[in-house]
Amino acid sequence: PADLAAAGTPINQRTLTDYISYARQNVHPRLSDEASAKLVVEYVEMRRIGASRKTISATPRQLESLIRLAEAHARLHLRPSVDLDDVAEAVRLMRVATQQSATDPLTGTIDMDLIHTGISASAKRKTDELADALLEILRDSNSGSMRIADLTAALLDKAAAVSFNQMREAIDQMKSDGSVKERNGTVSLA
């Protein structure tokens, strides 16, 4: 089947199904020492890249996925052991998948927080900064309490444009950490 595919001839569905079944049942590749070392190097590199941006870019789960991808690639080629080509393809697949699913739209960088929590590290930082600014405004007010509309106006005097959703997220975060209370459209220090 590999010769047919290399020649550009399509493989019929039955042949492909038989090939995959054979590979699943009979081929169980083991990691070579060389492949294991390369997987570790690539995983450490993924972690290093994230550390430079203060985000988690690789977890042990990603290492396990790299191993499974490398083994699957070796199995596809009916090899008894995982070699460096299998590791290279696993790393390439992981990078493409990660890039597509974890690219932070605000920064254009890969951020695993986006996958794990649904919120990018930069969005979290922005919400934290907004919450800090709102708390400062409330502390500077005479009563420690303001209507949301007045709080928004005061914030807009201090900062760049802020969307309603960003404001809402910051207030909700402050409520959940116990620093403010909200009642009837008014936010008060707790």
Side-chain angles (χ1 to χ4, degrees), residues 61-80:
R61 184 171 286 182
Q62 273 75 39
L63 176 59
E64 292 167 359
S65 295
L66 281 173
I67 293 167
R68 285 193 304 275
L69 285 167
E71 289 172 343
H73 192 261
R75 184 176 298 113
L76 175 68
H77 292 276
L78 306 178
R79 285 196 287 268

Side-chain angles (χ1 to χ4, degrees), residues 105-171:
L106 294 175
T107 64
T109 59
I110 292 175
D111 183 353
M112 293 304 286
D113 287 347
L114 196 54
I115 291 176
H116 296 296
T117 67
I119 301 169
S120 69
S122 63
K124 174 80 171 98
R125 267 192 305 279
K126 186 171 178 100
T127 300
D128 290 345
E129 290 167 3
L130 184 54
D132 290 344
L134 291 171
L135 283 172
E136 184 180 326
I137 292 168
L138 286 170
R139 287 184 189 118
D140 290 346
S141 72
N142 292 332
S143 63
S145 177
M146 293 179 83
R147 288 184 23 240
I148 291 177
D150 296 333
L151 189 57
T152 303
L155 181 67
L156 290 175
D157 288 343
K158 292 182 93 174
V162 175
S163 74
F164 174 79
N165 287 342
Q166 291 170 321
M167 182 82 162
R168 187 76 255 162
E169 286 173 19
I171 291 170

